[in-house]
Amino acid sequence: MKIQFPHNYDSIISIENLLEAWKEFTNGKKSRKDVQEFQLNLMSNIISLHNDLVAKTYSHSTYEPFNISDPKPRKIHKASVRDRLLHHAICRRLYPFFDRTFIPDSYSCRLNKGTHKAINRFRSFAYKVSKNHTRTAWILKCDIRKFFDSVDQDILIKILRQYIPDKDIVWLLHKIIGSFNSGKNSKGLPLGNLTSQLLVNIYMNQFDQFIKHKLKTEYYIRYADDFVTLSQDEGWLQDTLSKIKNFLSEDLLLELHPNKISIQTTASGVDFLGWINFVDHKVLRTSTKKRILKKLKPNNNPNALASYSGLVSHGNTYGVRKQINVITGKVDLNLLD
């Protein structure tokens, strides 16, 4: 039997939890018009939401879709302030519990994780598998086709029921999950919901547990829908790939992206999480480098400069830092060493 979520429905929908969620939600958003409008009658709005949740008459509003490029095009679905407040209230309670059920090497949308730690872990694994560069290390790299749009809502609810005994909490999660329609019946989660970030990790934790405990895979890292497995045995990785495809298809109704499956050596460089990763160093992906230089040329926005400077500081990027300096007229003291 799975460990059980210890909180009840009231602890999620309480006015105290909603107020704490509001503080977290508004961090960095207080200048936004929709947030300011909700703030004008904050207590009235929170009490109204609380009463709807108590009476179970709550209904999630429709989403406002818009497109971004980060770098590939994505459609974001923005919920109302009222709904986003509730998303935060739910995650305040659910995240600490479910995070304890996740494997250590799941790195997306988790506290004290992230891409840089995932890449550092990759390099640590590559070093171990290659026996300090003395043996060939093979890497199976995959990602999932149309990940967020392909999550099966019915399977997700079934997984949640295994952990959450309170039927009212499951009812509320069903409301949130069912509020989105990807165009396929009972499929998909909206990019943009805080709850979606947690829910996809709960969904993919089934896969993580299969990889670690059924396949006994020691060297495995996942970040959202991107994952890698390392081994000295190329044939074992080929066999593992077949088992991975079967599990994803049969248990989670997911499909690997056929053009993003590779088995290669660390010596050839593995494109993972925006970097080309070798055993002992990493370099920026060419497309990432071009995007940075293109975005800095028009206006030299100081926030963008700070963000990109932070990004390139994590790898072997002497050349691109030099080009950034030429564009912006700044001096990187690290280049003077």
Side-chain angles (χ1 to χ4, degrees):
M1 183 178 177
K2 305 285 188 185
I3 61 170
Q4 300 293 285
F5 181 66
H7 300 289
N8 60 22
Y9 182 66
D10 290 341
S11 74
I12 292 176
I13 69 166
S14 70
I15 291 177
E16 292 78 11
N17 190 48
L18 291 171
L19 283 169
E20 288 300 316
W22 176 256
K23 292 178 186 176
E24 295 173 5
F25 167 66
T26 55
N27 186 28
K29 302 185 184 74
K30 292 180 180 178
S31 63
R32 297 181 183 177
K33 183 179 178 181
D34 54 352
V35 174
Q36 290 177 344
E37 288 174 349
F38 195 91
Q39 175 81 52
L40 285 174
N41 298 291
L42 180 61
M43 283 310 301
S44 176
N45 286 328
I46 284 180
I47 291 170
S48 172
L49 173 59
H50 171 74
N51 289 340
D52 284 351
L53 291 165
V54 169
K56 296 180 74 173
T57 55
Y58 166 79
S59 181
H60 199 286
S61 62
T62 57
Y63 291 91
E64 176 190 342
F66 60 94
N67 296 316
I68 63 168
S69 296
D70 69 335
K72 62 184 179 182
R74 297 180 186 271
K75 178 171 279 189
I76 303 296
H77 290 82
K78 181 181 177 182
S80 70
V81 170
R82 187 177 197 256
D83 294 320
R84 282 182 282 157
L85 165 60
L86 179 57
H87 299 167
H88 275 259
I90 291 170
C91 288
R92 290 191 79 249
R93 291 288 183 254
L94 264 62
Y95 173 83
F97 168 78
F98 278 104
D99 190 66
R100 295 196 300 271
T101 71
F102 300 154
I103 66 168
D105 288 314
S106 162
Y107 286 87
S108 175
C109 301
R110 297 179 66 190
L111 295 175
N112 302 314
K113 297 288 184 175
T115 56
H116 296 306
K117 289 194 175 182
I119 290 171
N120 288 340
R121 185 67 160 167
F122 172 86
R123 291 176 64 181
S124 172
F125 280 173
Y127 186 84
K128 289 179 182 178
V129 174
S130 69
K131 302 293 184 184
N132 192 16
H133 315 315
T134 62
R135 298 189 184 180
T136 300
W138 292 90
I139 299 94
L140 167 64
K141 179 183 177 295
C142 309
D143 82 6
I144 295 168
R145 185 201 286 268
K146 297 182 178 178
F147 180 42
F148 273 79
D149 283 348
S150 299
V151 170
D152 187 278
Q153 296 177 0
D154 294 333
I155 292 175
L156 176 57
I157 292 294
K158 183 179 178 181
I159 294 168
L160 291 168
R161 285 197 180 109
Q162 294 174 12
Y163 291 95
I164 302 174
D166 191 312
K167 293 181 180 179
D168 289 337
I169 296 177
V170 175
W171 169 83
L172 179 57
L173 292 172
H174 206 304
K175 282 283 188 180
I176 303 291
I177 293 165
S179 67
F180 178 71
N181 182 354
S182 67
K184 302 176 184 177
N185 288 336
S186 298
K187 286 280 190 177
L189 293 172
L191 270 168
N193 275 12
L194 182 65
T195 48
S196 295
Q197 298 173 8
L198 174 60
L199 291 170
V200 294
N201 271 337
I202 294 170
Y203 197 77
M204 286 301 291
N205 187 49
Q206 305 297 299
F207 177 65
D208 296 339
Q209 300 298 332
F210 168 76
I211 289 284
K212 297 299 291 185
H213 300 299
K214 296 294 185 182
L215 300 185
K216 307 294 184 182
T217 304
E218 185 174 2
Y219 302 108
Y220 162 79
I221 298 166
R222 182 179 63 82
Y223 187 95
D225 60 330
D226 290 347
F227 59 90
V228 292
T229 302
L230 296 82
S231 175
Q232 291 180 9
D233 187 343
E234 182 186 7
W236 182 84
L237 289 178
Q238 290 282 5
D239 183 56
T240 296
L241 174 60
S242 176
K243 293 174 181 177
I244 283 172
K245 286 180 177 178
N246 288 340
F247 179 87
L248 289 172
S249 174
E250 294 173 9
D251 289 67
L252 298 179
L253 302 185
L254 297 174
E255 178 186 0
L256 293 180
H257 196 301
N259 299 329
K260 296 182 180 179
I261 301 172
S262 65
I263 297 178
Q264 60 193 106
T265 65
T266 51
S268 63
V270 179
D271 188 341
F272 182 51
L273 302 181
W275 295 83
I276 308 299
N277 297 272
F278 298 88
V279 174
D280 55 359
H281 72 284
K282 62 182 183 288
V283 296
L284 270 178
R285 185 189 291 160
T286 300
S287 60
T288 303
K289 191 186 307 180
K290 288 181 178 178
R291 188 175 77 255
I292 289 173
L293 297 175
K294 182 179 178 182
K295 287 194 174 184
L296 284 177
K297 281 180 180 178
N299 51 24
N300 292 341
N301 182 288
N303 292 331
L305 175 61
S307 175
Y308 290 133
S309 295
L311 171 65
V312 301
S313 70
H314 288 276
N316 301 75
T317 56
Y318 178 93
V320 71
R321 283 187 286 144
K322 195 170 182 179
Q323 288 175 278
I324 289 173
N325 289 345
V326 171
I327 292 169
T328 62
K330 303 289 184 182
V331 176
D332 184 344
L333 295 179
N334 293 319
L335 299 179
L336 301 179
D337 293 342

